[in-house]
Amino acid sequence: DTLMFFGDTEQFAVEAPWGPYAVAPPFAKRTQIAHRAGSSKICVGEQEAPEIVCLGSDGDRTLIRWTVQPAPVLDSEIADWREAKVQEYDLKLSRSQVLEMLDRVPIPESRPPYSELFLDSAGFLWAERGPASGRGGESTDFLVFGPDGALLGTVSIPPIRVLEVGLDYVLGIHVDELGIQYVRVFELNRNATGAHS
């Protein structure tokens, strides 16, 4: 049976040289889904608000909500997004054509309240704070919620693209300054407030 309906990636139709064309804005809201193999639980969030719903195979439904101050989108992030789009369409359009097309895309004032979602092997939900891109900082914060939806705290993880959260580790991809990717595993101490290698 149908349990719920949810949206796809946010896009806007703009006029391109070949006609109407769908473009995702920077920090486009999109549905995030977390599921773990062997688990009957699935968590879904649409990034419209700090709200996620978790569904169990028995029909159990847990609504997770929290309060958060909207984080503004920086001018430098918009400039980086525009430059990346210019490179993406490099072989199809001139720079001025791409920029003219991007000028028609509405720019959000704030970032989504979370980006990636993960369910760990203990059934805890991890919600990455802030955007999934631009992880050049020293750490990335995750909100961690218990199986009942209660906020347990924040965990800081070195800047990696997380692939999996286990009982005592976090597995992810680290990209160095040359763009080379490395698989990294960090020890996770659930009695502390972070992960370290």
Side-chain angles (χ1 to χ4, degrees):
D1 197 5
T2 301
L3 297 176
M4 66 184 297
F5 292 96
F6 48 82
D8 199 352
T9 302
E10 176 183 27
Q11 293 185 327
F12 292 94
V14 297
E15 194 62 34
W18 54 81
Y21 184 66
V23 177
F27 304 110
K29 295 180 183 75
R30 66 188 196 281
T31 298
Q32 295 291 332
I33 300 174
H35 179 263
R36 187 171 181 88
S39 171
S40 61
K41 182 177 178 181
I42 185 168
C43 296
V44 181
E46 294 188 89
Q47 296 185 317
E48 289 291 341
E51 180 177 296
I52 300 163
V53 63
C54 293
L55 308 165
S57 61
D58 57 358
D60 185 39
R61 186 181 181 107
T62 304
L63 182 62
I64 300 172
R65 287 186 176 141
W66 67 98
T67 56
V68 64
Q69 276 294 79
V73 174
L74 305 177
D75 290 341
S76 60
E77 293 169 323
I78 301 304
D80 289 346
W81 171 77
R82 290 169 63 87
E83 193 57 41
K85 287 294 183 186
V86 166
Q87 298 300 321
E88 183 180 331
Y89 295 104
D90 185 40
L91 298 176
K92 299 176 185 173
L93 301 171
S94 69
R95 181 180 184 84
S96 62
Q97 286 176 310
V98 176
L99 293 177
E100 184 180 339
M101 184 174 73
L102 297 181
D103 285 342
R104 299 185 177 109
V105 178
I107 302 299
E109 293 182 4
S110 60
R111 308 164 187 241
Y114 58 91
S115 50
E116 303 292 328
L117 298 178
F118 298 93
L119 275 173
D120 70 17
S121 51
F124 293 74
L125 176 67
W126 293 58
E128 183 180 8
R129 295 169 75 179
S133 59
R135 302 180 189 189
E138 293 182 5
S139 66
T140 300
D141 288 343
F142 285 80
L143 298 174
V144 181
F145 300 90
D148 61 352
L151 177 60
L152 302 177
T154 303
V155 175
S156 293
I157 292 177
I160 58 173
R161 179 168 56 87
V162 174
L163 300 176
E164 183 178 13
V165 180
L167 284 176
D168 59 359
Y169 68 90
V170 176
L171 173 72
I173 303 292
H174 169 74
V175 182
D176 70 12
E177 59 277 356
L178 299 175
I180 299 172
Q181 298 184 2
Y182 299 90
V183 175
R184 293 266 171 94
V185 178
F186 294 92
E187 179 185 2
L188 176 63
N189 183 348
R190 290 185 181 259
N191 296 320
T193 57
H196 37 197
S197 58

